[in-house]
PDB file of all heavy atoms in Angstrom:
ATOM      1  N   ALA A  30      10.649   5.130   0.770  1.00  0.00           N
ATOM      2  CA  ALA A  30      10.606   3.694   1.059  1.00  0.00           C
ATOM      3  C   ALA A  30       9.177   3.234   1.342  1.00  0.00           C
ATOM      4  O   ALA A  30       8.755   2.170   0.870  1.00  0.00           O
ATOM      5  CB  ALA A  30      11.509   3.365   2.251  1.00  0.00           C
ATOM      6  N   LEU A  31       8.416   4.036   2.088  1.00  0.00           N
ATOM      7  CA  LEU A  31       7.027   3.677   2.391  1.00  0.00           C
ATOM      8  C   LEU A  31       6.153   3.711   1.140  1.00  0.00           C
ATOM      9  O   LEU A  31       5.316   2.827   0.941  1.00  0.00           O
ATOM     10  CB  LEU A  31       6.459   4.609   3.460  1.00  0.00           C
ATOM     11  CG  LEU A  31       7.035   4.428   4.866  1.00  0.00           C
ATOM     12  CD1 LEU A  31       6.532   5.528   5.792  1.00  0.00           C
ATOM     13  CD2 LEU A  31       6.690   3.066   5.416  1.00  0.00           C
ATOM     14  N   VAL A  32       6.357   4.707   0.288  1.00  0.00           N
ATOM     15  CA  VAL A  32       5.589   4.794  -0.960  1.00  0.00           C
ATOM     16  C   VAL A  32       5.908   3.595  -1.847  1.00  0.00           C
ATOM     17  O   VAL A  32       5.008   2.971  -2.410  1.00  0.00           O
ATOM     18  CB  VAL A  32       5.870   6.130  -1.680  1.00  0.00           C
ATOM     19  CG1 VAL A  32       5.333   6.113  -3.103  1.00  0.00           C
ATOM     20  CG2 VAL A  32       5.257   7.290  -0.903  1.00  0.00           C
ATOM     21  N   ALA A  33       7.186   3.253  -1.968  1.00  0.00           N
ATOM     22  CA  ALA A  33       7.583   2.105  -2.784  1.00  0.00           C
ATOM     23  C   ALA A  33       6.995   0.807  -2.231  1.00  0.00           C
ATOM     24  O   ALA A  33       6.524  -0.048  -2.994  1.00  0.00           O
ATOM     25  CB  ALA A  33       9.111   2.015  -2.863  1.00  0.00           C
ATOM     26  N   ALA A  34       6.992   0.661  -0.921  1.00  0.00           N
ATOM     27  CA  ALA A  34       6.435  -0.541  -0.300  1.00  0.00           C
ATOM     28  C   ALA A  34       4.932  -0.635  -0.560  1.00  0.00           C
ATOM     29  O   ALA A  34       4.417  -1.718  -0.867  1.00  0.00           O
ATOM     30  CB  ALA A  34       6.712  -0.544   1.200  1.00  0.00           C
ATOM     31  N   ARG A  35       4.230   0.477  -0.469  1.00  0.00           N
ATOM     32  CA  ARG A  35       2.793   0.468  -0.740  1.00  0.00           C
ATOM     33  C   ARG A  35       2.503   0.092  -2.189  1.00  0.00           C
ATOM     34  O   ARG A  35       1.557  -0.628  -2.473  1.00  0.00           O
ATOM     35  CB  ARG A  35       2.177   1.834  -0.427  1.00  0.00           C
ATOM     36  CG  ARG A  35       2.015   2.081   1.047  1.00  0.00           C
ATOM     37  CD  ARG A  35       1.398   3.441   1.299  1.00  0.00           C
ATOM     38  NE  ARG A  35       1.084   3.559   2.714  1.00  0.00           N
ATOM     39  CZ  ARG A  35       0.064   4.242   3.174  1.00  0.00           C
ATOM     40  NH1 ARG A  35      -0.735   4.880   2.355  1.00  0.00           N
ATOM     41  NH2 ARG A  35      -0.154   4.313   4.472  1.00  0.00           N
ATOM     42  N   LYS A  36       3.331   0.583  -3.116  1.00  0.00           N
ATOM     43  CA  LYS A  36       3.146   0.244  -4.531  1.00  0.00           C
ATOM     44  C   LYS A  36       3.390  -1.247  -4.768  1.00  0.00           C
ATOM     45  O   LYS A  36       2.636  -1.894  -5.497  1.00  0.00           O
ATOM     46  CB  LYS A  36       4.066   1.078  -5.412  1.00  0.00           C
ATOM     47  CG  LYS A  36       3.625   2.516  -5.533  1.00  0.00           C
ATOM     48  CD  LYS A  36       4.559   3.320  -6.402  1.00  0.00           C
ATOM     49  CE  LYS A  36       4.113   4.772  -6.487  1.00  0.00           C
ATOM     50  NZ  LYS A  36       5.018   5.570  -7.304  1.00  0.00           N
ATOM     51  N   ARG A  37       4.429  -1.789  -4.138  1.00  0.00           N
ATOM     52  CA  ARG A  37       4.704  -3.222  -4.271  1.00  0.00           C
ATOM     53  C   ARG A  37       3.561  -4.050  -3.700  1.00  0.00           C
ATOM     54  O   ARG A  37       3.138  -5.050  -4.290  1.00  0.00           O
ATOM     55  CB  ARG A  37       6.017  -3.588  -3.570  1.00  0.00           C
ATOM     56  CG  ARG A  37       7.261  -3.198  -4.322  1.00  0.00           C
ATOM     57  CD  ARG A  37       8.509  -3.824  -3.708  1.00  0.00           C
ATOM     58  NE  ARG A  37       8.651  -3.563  -2.279  1.00  0.00           N
ATOM     59  CZ  ARG A  37       9.252  -2.493  -1.752  1.00  0.00           C
ATOM     60  NH1 ARG A  37       9.780  -1.576  -2.544  1.00  0.00           N
ATOM     61  NH2 ARG A  37       9.345  -2.358  -0.450  1.00  0.00           N
ATOM     62  N   GLN A  38       3.058  -3.640  -2.552  1.00  0.00           N
ATOM     63  CA  GLN A  38       1.945  -4.361  -1.938  1.00  0.00           C
ATOM     64  C   GLN A  38       0.690  -4.291  -2.802  1.00  0.00           C
ATOM     65  O   GLN A  38      -0.039  -5.282  -2.940  1.00  0.00           O
ATOM     66  CB  GLN A  38       1.649  -3.793  -0.549  1.00  0.00           C
ATOM     67  CG  GLN A  38       2.727  -4.112   0.464  1.00  0.00           C
ATOM     68  CD  GLN A  38       2.539  -3.368   1.772  1.00  0.00           C
ATOM     69  OE1 GLN A  38       1.772  -2.399   1.848  1.00  0.00           O
ATOM     70  NE2 GLN A  38       3.250  -3.800   2.800  1.00  0.00           N
ATOM     71  N   ALA A  39       0.426  -3.138  -3.398  1.00  0.00           N
ATOM     72  CA  ALA A  39      -0.753  -2.994  -4.260  1.00  0.00           C
ATOM     73  C   ALA A  39      -0.632  -3.888  -5.487  1.00  0.00           C
ATOM     74  O   ALA A  39      -1.607  -4.531  -5.894  1.00  0.00           O
ATOM     75  CB  ALA A  39      -0.928  -1.534  -4.677  1.00  0.00           C
ATOM     76  N   ARG A  40       0.577  -3.948  -6.080  1.00  0.00           N
ATOM     77  CA  ARG A  40       0.789  -4.830  -7.233  1.00  0.00           C
ATOM     78  C   ARG A  40       0.609  -6.285  -6.842  1.00  0.00           C
ATOM     79  O   ARG A  40      -0.032  -7.058  -7.556  1.00  0.00           O
ATOM     80  CB  ARG A  40       2.182  -4.611  -7.831  1.00  0.00           C
ATOM     81  CG  ARG A  40       2.270  -3.434  -8.771  1.00  0.00           C
ATOM     82  CD  ARG A  40       3.558  -3.456  -9.574  1.00  0.00           C
ATOM     83  NE  ARG A  40       4.750  -3.457  -8.747  1.00  0.00           N
ATOM     84  CZ  ARG A  40       5.381  -2.368  -8.326  1.00  0.00           C
ATOM     85  NH1 ARG A  40       4.945  -1.178  -8.646  1.00  0.00           N
ATOM     86  NH2 ARG A  40       6.457  -2.472  -7.578  1.00  0.00           N
ATOM     87  N   ALA A  41       1.174  -6.677  -5.713  1.00  0.00           N
ATOM     88  CA  ALA A  41       1.058  -8.067  -5.259  1.00  0.00           C
ATOM     89  C   ALA A  41      -0.402  -8.425  -4.983  1.00  0.00           C
ATOM     90  O   ALA A  41      -0.850  -9.526  -5.327  1.00  0.00           O
ATOM     91  CB  ALA A  41       1.905  -8.287  -4.002  1.00  0.00           C
ATOM     92  N   LEU A  42      -1.151  -7.512  -4.396  1.00  0.00           N
ATOM     93  CA  LEU A  42      -2.564  -7.758  -4.123  1.00  0.00           C
ATOM     94  C   LEU A  42      -3.359  -7.879  -5.421  1.00  0.00           C
ATOM     95  O   LEU A  42      -4.221  -8.746  -5.553  1.00  0.00           O
ATOM     96  CB  LEU A  42      -3.130  -6.643  -3.255  1.00  0.00           C
ATOM     97  CG  LEU A  42      -4.581  -6.784  -2.831  1.00  0.00           C
ATOM     98  CD1 LEU A  42      -4.813  -8.085  -2.073  1.00  0.00           C
ATOM     99  CD2 LEU A  42      -4.995  -5.599  -1.980  1.00  0.00           C
ATOM    100  N   ALA A  43      -3.053  -7.029  -6.398  1.00  0.00           N
ATOM    101  CA  ALA A  43      -3.743  -7.101  -7.690  1.00  0.00           C
ATOM    102  C   ALA A  43      -3.452  -8.425  -8.383  1.00  0.00           C
ATOM    103  O   ALA A  43      -4.365  -9.057  -8.940  1.00  0.00           O
ATOM    104  CB  ALA A  43      -3.324  -5.929  -8.574  1.00  0.00           C
ATOM    105  N   ILE A  44      -2.214  -8.866  -8.351  1.00  0.00           N
ATOM    106  CA  ILE A  44      -1.845 -10.141  -8.965  1.00  0.00           C
ATOM    107  C   ILE A  44      -2.569 -11.294  -8.268  1.00  0.00           C
ATOM    108  O   ILE A  44      -3.110 -12.188  -8.913  1.00  0.00           O
ATOM    109  CB  ILE A  44      -0.319 -10.335  -8.925  1.00  0.00           C
ATOM    110  CG1 ILE A  44       0.344  -9.356  -9.904  1.00  0.00           C
ATOM    111  CG2 ILE A  44       0.070 -11.768  -9.254  1.00  0.00           C
ATOM    112  CD1 ILE A  44       1.854  -9.265  -9.748  1.00  0.00           C
ATOM    113  N   ALA A  45      -2.585 -11.266  -6.949  1.00  0.00           N
ATOM    114  CA  ALA A  45      -3.245 -12.336  -6.192  1.00  0.00           C
ATOM    115  C   ALA A  45      -4.751 -12.355  -6.451  1.00  0.00           C
ATOM    116  O   ALA A  45      -5.346 -13.426  -6.616  1.00  0.00           O
ATOM    117  CB  ALA A  45      -2.971 -12.165  -4.697  1.00  0.00           C
ATOM    118  N   SER A  46      -5.377 -11.187  -6.501  1.00  0.00           N
ATOM    119  CA  SER A  46      -6.822 -11.156  -6.741  1.00  0.00           C
ATOM    120  C   SER A  46      -7.151 -11.582  -8.167  1.00  0.00           C
ATOM    121  O   SER A  46      -8.152 -12.269  -8.396  1.00  0.00           O
ATOM    122  CB  SER A  46      -7.415  -9.787  -6.425  1.00  0.00           C
ATOM    123  OG  SER A  46      -6.895  -8.806  -7.289  1.00  0.00           O
ATOM    124  N   ASP A  47      -6.297 -11.230  -9.138  1.00  0.00           N
ATOM    125  CA  ASP A  47      -6.504 -11.695 -10.513  1.00  0.00           C
ATOM    126  C   ASP A  47      -6.397 -13.211 -10.595  1.00  0.00           C
ATOM    127  O   ASP A  47      -7.198 -13.866 -11.270  1.00  0.00           O
ATOM    128  CB  ASP A  47      -5.490 -11.056 -11.463  1.00  0.00           C
ATOM    129  CG  ASP A  47      -5.767  -9.588 -11.719  1.00  0.00           C
ATOM    130  OD1 ASP A  47      -6.879  -9.118 -11.398  1.00  0.00           O
ATOM    131  OD2 ASP A  47      -4.861  -8.907 -12.241  1.00  0.00           O
ATOM    132  N   GLU A  48      -5.434 -13.765  -9.896  1.00  0.00           N
ATOM    133  CA  GLU A  48      -5.264 -15.229  -9.895  1.00  0.00           C
ATOM    134  C   GLU A  48      -6.461 -15.902  -9.227  1.00  0.00           C
ATOM    135  O   GLU A  48      -6.970 -16.914  -9.717  1.00  0.00           O
ATOM    136  CB  GLU A  48      -3.969 -15.616  -9.188  1.00  0.00           C
ATOM    137  CG  GLU A  48      -3.724 -17.101  -9.127  1.00  0.00           C
ATOM    138  CD  GLU A  48      -3.624 -17.774 -10.494  1.00  0.00           C
ATOM    139  OE1 GLU A  48      -3.243 -17.107 -11.477  1.00  0.00           O
ATOM    140  OE2 GLU A  48      -3.943 -18.973 -10.580  1.00  0.00           O
ATOM    141  N   ALA A  49      -6.925 -15.343  -8.136  1.00  0.00           N
ATOM    142  CA  ALA A  49      -8.095 -15.911  -7.460  1.00  0.00           C
ATOM    143  C   ALA A  49      -9.318 -15.843  -8.367  1.00  0.00           C
ATOM    144  O   ALA A  49     -10.118 -16.783  -8.423  1.00  0.00           O
ATOM    145  CB  ALA A  49      -8.356 -15.166  -6.155  1.00  0.00           C
ATOM    146  N   PHE A  50      -9.460 -14.738  -9.090  1.00  0.00           N
ATOM    147  CA  PHE A  50     -10.581 -14.583 -10.015  1.00  0.00           C
ATOM    148  C   PHE A  50     -10.522 -15.649 -11.111  1.00  0.00           C
ATOM    149  O   PHE A  50     -11.535 -16.224 -11.495  1.00  0.00           O
ATOM    150  CB  PHE A  50     -10.541 -13.173 -10.615  1.00  0.00           C
ATOM    151  CG  PHE A  50     -11.790 -12.782 -11.341  1.00  0.00           C
ATOM    152  CD1 PHE A  50     -12.973 -12.542 -10.656  1.00  0.00           C
ATOM    153  CD2 PHE A  50     -11.789 -12.632 -12.717  1.00  0.00           C
ATOM    154  CE1 PHE A  50     -14.120 -12.167 -11.328  1.00  0.00           C
ATOM    155  CE2 PHE A  50     -12.929 -12.264 -13.399  1.00  0.00           C
ATOM    156  CZ  PHE A  50     -14.098 -12.024 -12.690  1.00  0.00           C
ATOM    157  N   ARG A  51      -9.320 -15.934 -11.612  1.00  0.00           N
ATOM    158  CA  ARG A  51      -9.164 -16.962 -12.653  1.00  0.00           C
ATOM    159  C   ARG A  51      -9.469 -18.364 -12.131  1.00  0.00           C
ATOM    160  O   ARG A  51      -9.836 -19.237 -12.901  1.00  0.00           O
ATOM    161  CB  ARG A  51      -7.749 -16.917 -13.232  1.00  0.00           C
ATOM    162  CG  ARG A  51      -7.532 -15.786 -14.203  1.00  0.00           C
ATOM    163  CD  ARG A  51      -6.240 -15.965 -14.968  1.00  0.00           C
ATOM    164  NE  ARG A  51      -5.061 -15.835 -14.136  1.00  0.00           N
ATOM    165  CZ  ARG A  51      -4.485 -14.683 -13.806  1.00  0.00           C
ATOM    166  NH1 ARG A  51      -4.991 -13.548 -14.259  1.00  0.00           N
ATOM    167  NH2 ARG A  51      -3.420 -14.647 -13.052  1.00  0.00           N
ATOM    168  N   GLN A  52      -9.323 -18.578 -10.844  1.00  0.00           N
ATOM    169  CA  GLN A  52      -9.579 -19.890 -10.261  1.00  0.00           C
ATOM    170  C   GLN A  52     -11.070 -20.166 -10.055  1.00  0.00           C
ATOM    171  O   GLN A  52     -11.456 -21.299  -9.828  1.00  0.00           O
ATOM    172  CB  GLN A  52      -8.849 -20.029  -8.919  1.00  0.00           C
ATOM    173  CG  GLN A  52      -7.343 -19.933  -9.008  1.00  0.00           C
ATOM    174  CD  GLN A  52      -6.742 -21.064  -9.809  1.00  0.00           C
ATOM    175  OE1 GLN A  52      -7.192 -22.202  -9.714  1.00  0.00           O
ATOM    176  NE2 GLN A  52      -5.738 -20.765 -10.612  1.00  0.00           N
ATOM    177  N   MET A  53     -11.895 -19.132 -10.138  1.00  0.00           N
ATOM    178  CA  MET A  53     -13.338 -19.297  -9.939  1.00  0.00           C
ATOM    179  C   MET A  53     -13.954 -20.007 -11.133  1.00  0.00           C
ATOM    180  O   MET A  53     -13.505 -19.823 -12.263  1.00  0.00           O
ATOM    181  CB  MET A  53     -14.005 -17.929  -9.828  1.00  0.00           C
ATOM    182  CG  MET A  53     -13.866 -17.299  -8.519  1.00  0.00           C
ATOM    183  SD  MET A  53     -14.777 -15.748  -8.559  1.00  0.00           S
ATOM    184  CE  MET A  53     -13.866 -14.897  -7.328  1.00  0.00           C
ATOM    185  N   PRO A  54     -14.988 -20.748 -10.876  1.00  0.00           N
ATOM    186  CA  PRO A  54     -15.726 -21.339 -11.995  1.00  0.00           C
ATOM    187  C   PRO A  54     -16.261 -20.232 -12.915  1.00  0.00           C
ATOM    188  O   PRO A  54     -16.678 -19.168 -12.442  1.00  0.00           O
ATOM    189  CB  PRO A  54     -16.876 -22.087 -11.317  1.00  0.00           C
ATOM    190  CG  PRO A  54     -16.427 -22.292  -9.914  1.00  0.00           C
ATOM    191  CD  PRO A  54     -15.527 -21.147  -9.584  1.00  0.00           C
ATOM    192  N   ALA A  55     -16.227 -20.486 -14.208  1.00  0.00           N
ATOM    193  CA  ALA A  55     -16.644 -19.478 -15.187  1.00  0.00           C
ATOM    194  C   ALA A  55     -18.051 -18.970 -14.921  1.00  0.00           C
ATOM    195  O   ALA A  55     -18.353 -17.798 -15.151  1.00  0.00           O
ATOM    196  CB  ALA A  55     -16.530 -20.063 -16.587  1.00  0.00           C
ATOM    197  N   LEU A  56     -18.904 -19.815 -14.434  1.00  0.00           N
ATOM    198  CA  LEU A  56     -20.289 -19.450 -14.171  1.00  0.00           C
ATOM    199  C   LEU A  56     -20.405 -18.346 -13.110  1.00  0.00           C
ATOM    200  O   LEU A  56     -21.314 -17.524 -13.161  1.00  0.00           O
ATOM    201  CB  LEU A  56     -21.058 -20.698 -13.710  1.00  0.00           C
ATOM    202  CG  LEU A  56     -22.560 -20.623 -13.694  1.00  0.00           C
ATOM    203  CD1 LEU A  56     -23.103 -20.284 -15.076  1.00  0.00           C
ATOM    204  CD2 LEU A  56     -23.138 -21.951 -13.237  1.00  0.00           C
ATOM    205  N   LEU A  57     -19.472 -18.316 -12.177  1.00  0.00           N
ATOM    206  CA  LEU A  57     -19.511 -17.316 -11.102  1.00  0.00           C
ATOM    207  C   LEU A  57     -18.773 -16.027 -11.436  1.00  0.00           C
ATOM    208  O   LEU A  57     -19.015 -14.999 -10.805  1.00  0.00           O
ATOM    209  CB  LEU A  57     -18.888 -17.906  -9.823  1.00  0.00           C
ATOM    210  CG  LEU A  57     -19.626 -19.054  -9.171  1.00  0.00           C
ATOM    211  CD1 LEU A  57     -18.828 -19.568  -7.996  1.00  0.00           C
ATOM    212  CD2 LEU A  57     -21.006 -18.639  -8.745  1.00  0.00           C
ATOM    213  N   ARG A  58     -17.873 -16.079 -12.398  1.00  0.00           N
ATOM    214  CA  ARG A  58     -17.029 -14.908 -12.673  1.00  0.00           C
ATOM    215  C   ARG A  58     -17.827 -13.659 -13.015  1.00  0.00           C
ATOM    216  O   ARG A  58     -17.469 -12.552 -12.586  1.00  0.00           O
ATOM    217  CB  ARG A  58     -16.061 -15.219 -13.809  1.00  0.00           C
ATOM    218  CG  ARG A  58     -14.953 -16.097 -13.386  1.00  0.00           C
ATOM    219  CD  ARG A  58     -13.947 -16.273 -14.496  1.00  0.00           C
ATOM    220  NE  ARG A  58     -13.201 -17.499 -14.242  1.00  0.00           N
ATOM    221  CZ  ARG A  58     -12.771 -18.323 -15.163  1.00  0.00           C
ATOM    222  NH1 ARG A  58     -12.987 -18.069 -16.426  1.00  0.00           N
ATOM    223  NH2 ARG A  58     -12.120 -19.395 -14.827  1.00  0.00           N
TER     224      ARG A  58
END
Side-chain angles (χ1 to χ4, degrees):
L31 290 172
V32 168
R35 284 180 172 213
K36 287 180 181 179
R37 284 191 307 272
Q38 290 171 345
R40 278 193 302 270
L42 183 58
I44 289 168
S46 64
D47 288 345
E48 179 60 27
F50 193 70
R51 283 193 292 276
Q52 298 296 321
M53 281 183 206
L56 194 58
L57 294 176
R58 285 185 202 144

